[in-house]
Amino acid sequence: MNEYGIPNQKERTFTIDSNAEITYKVVEGFIQKHLNIIPFYEKMEKLYTGEHEIYDQKKKTLGKPDHRIGVNFARYVVDTATGYFAGNAIKYNHVNESVKNKIDDFRKRNYEDDNDAELSKICDIYGLGYKLLYQDEDAETRVAVVTPQQGFLVFSKDVKNKPQFGVIYSELVQALGKTRIKATVYLPDGTYIYDDVDKTLTLESEYYYSDIPMVQFVQNEEKQGRIELIWSLVNEYNGTLSEKANDVAYFADAYLKMIGVNWDNSTKQTLRDNRVILTGKPLLSTEKVDIGFLEKPNADGTQENLLDRLEKLIYQMSMTFNSNDEKLFSSASGVALEIKMQNMKNSSLVKERKFEKALSLMYKLYFKVQLDISDKDVWYDIEYSFNYSMPRNTKDEAETARALSGITSKETQLKAIPSLVPDIDQELKRIESENREDENSRVPAEEVIGITKEDDDS
């Protein structure tokens, strides 16, 4: 961990030999390693919630302006990225209708659309997050979202990188210089209770997953969130803007200097009330009066240039588009909009692949405990569709879809207009239903021209 409290990749990596025995001492060692990087996660959380470093700086000496301004770029970047990536729910499809219904029921029961959006936000803030699967009292599979402050996963050191055990804190209290820790440890055969007072790792319950029911979701391979990429820029921006406010306050409270003038208190009061300075009798050639304000050098231009540069770097480094940029929507072309948002799309595509991999692992666990599903490998055929939330040019989309008519399938054609057709399966069913209605309501040709069956026989 460097002097700024940012952990390196080795400190973020939790691995163990795949054949190692998981004992109390082993778990204790990884918990201590994890506790060392929790302050970093707390720093990222504070930046998102607006508890910026500018508010904790040492107060200036008496008499000096001391403004503290925190611009929450971190929240803007995270919320914008989350809305773009997960504002539209991830779509799921499966060739087997009963399996698809099973997935739909699982998602509705666990509010998975909201879980996915929350997990996307967690990854943007911290760089990673987790989903925990468990069985409730009705034997239904449930999902809980876990932040990297609440727990962690340990993987094997080999190329398989398979989870070996997971830890979720049930009690983590720091008092009197000591840390009280109780945690649930997830192993392939069941859950164990870790207690640092009794120094024990005790079996709590067995389950049927035969694997670790905890899945890691990451922002990227390095597990770096968007906030980590801009935290120093945000702090510098806040510091510069606060000093600029101090300069404004300094000039508003500037001292008036009067050299060579001798006034009594009543005259000074008149000066304040009327805002007029009179020197009294005409000056002699040997007399010299100097009246003016004490000023310090004005760095307004330098400060503005620095603020502009920092703001541009914040959007550039976080790969987030600035929706307040007047130039962003100067062109109505859908292609032009996509080009302007290409950086955000590129980073989202990386995140999409990581999420799809994690979601596949989660559904692999889910179908292991579904007794009514004979083929436990049905998770392999789940199709995922990520529909990024971005400004759409529906006219361009409609023209593209029209051009595909007769060239591609109806499903592929509908995919070209996601802003108008969010659920392709539902739309295909509506089209089929309308076609049947049209077929049933069509009047036979012989009835239209008035030919009866008897006339036809004759």
Side-chain angles (χ1 to χ4, degrees), residues 336-347:
L337 289 175
E338 288 207 27
I339 291 174
K340 291 176 181 179
M341 301 171 70
Q342 190 63 43
N343 286 340
M344 172 163 271
K345 185 176 182 179
N346 289 340
S347 63

Side-chain angles (χ1 to χ4, degrees), residues 20 74-75 87 89 115 152 171 195 202 245-246 249 311 314 340 353 388 417:
R75 177 177 283 274
N115 287 340
F152 60 92
E171 184 178 343
D195 192 323
T202 309
N246 290 337
E311 183 172 347
I314 287 171
K340 291 176 181 179
R353 288 190 287 270
Y388 302 148
I417 44 177

Side-chain angles (χ1 to χ4, degrees), residues 281-308:
K281 61 182 180 178
L283 297 176
L284 300 176
S285 59
T286 56
E287 292 180 318
K288 185 176 182 180
V289 175
D290 183 8
I291 300 176
F293 287 91
L294 292 174
E295 296 182 5
K296 71 175 185 177
N298 187 345
D300 184 71
T302 303
Q303 290 171 331
E304 283 298 325
N305 289 336
L306 179 57
L307 289 172
D308 288 344

